[in-house]
Amino acid sequence: QVHLVESGGGLVQVGGSLRLSCTASALTASKYAMGWFRQAPGKEREFVAVIGWPRIATAVANSVRGRFTISKDDAKNTVYLQMNNLKSEDTAVYYCAAAANTALVRAQQGSWGQGTQVTVSS
């Protein structure tokens, strides 16, 4: 299990930007695929983005493509989610996830952070 801590959430206006960070505590965290999910009130948790290991392939959900970018810094055991041109429908609690590969991340089979709130106001 990898301990994950998210940060960077907050309140932003429509069209604004935020960058979320997720830092993993385990020494081998850089050898995990990592991703982001979100859950809005009354809705199921949904996939947002994933980045693989060892091959640094990325994928994002259709709803955020062109606006959100996932990246990682292995030296810092940290994955980032850069969110631009935010919309009100992006309001949700955002969760970081880590697993042995991207398929397991997408299947929500792995370690989770506690979540960070993102609120986009109009």
Side-chain angles (χ1 to χ4, degrees):
Q1 284 264 332
V2 178
H3 181 60
L4 304 171
V5 178
E6 302 101 332
S7 61
L11 175 65
V12 63
Q13 291 187 331
V14 169
S17 298
L18 280 175
R19 188 178 78 160
L20 304 183
S21 300
C22 173
T23 299
S25 62
L27 293 177
T28 56
S30 62
K31 297 183 178 179
Y32 282 77
M34 298 181 73
W36 291 93
F37 289 76
R38 66 187 182 185
Q39 187 167 21
K43 295 187 177 181
E44 293 187 353
R45 186 161 56 188
E46 64 174 1
F47 167 77
V48 175
V50 66
I51 186 165
W53 181 89
R55 189 169 68 93
I56 309 301
T58 63
V60 297
N62 289 336
S63 59
V64 304
R65 184 166 291 118
R67 301 187 298 121
F68 290 12
T69 303
I70 187 170
S71 61
K72 63 188 301 192
D73 184 336
D74 288 338
K76 297 181 178 180
N77 284 344
T78 299
V79 65
Y80 303 98
L81 185 68
Q82 178 66 44
M83 305 185 295
N84 298 328
N85 191 21
L86 283 160
K87 304 176 180 181
S88 57
E89 53 263 42
D90 295 320
T91 295
V93 177
Y94 283 71
Y95 296 92
C96 178
N101 55 61
T102 56
L104 289 174
V105 171
R106 284 177 172 267
Q108 304 190 37
Q109 301 294 318
S111 301
W112 292 91
Q114 81 288 351
T116 185
Q117 177 70 47
V118 171
T119 303
V120 184
S121 65
S122 57

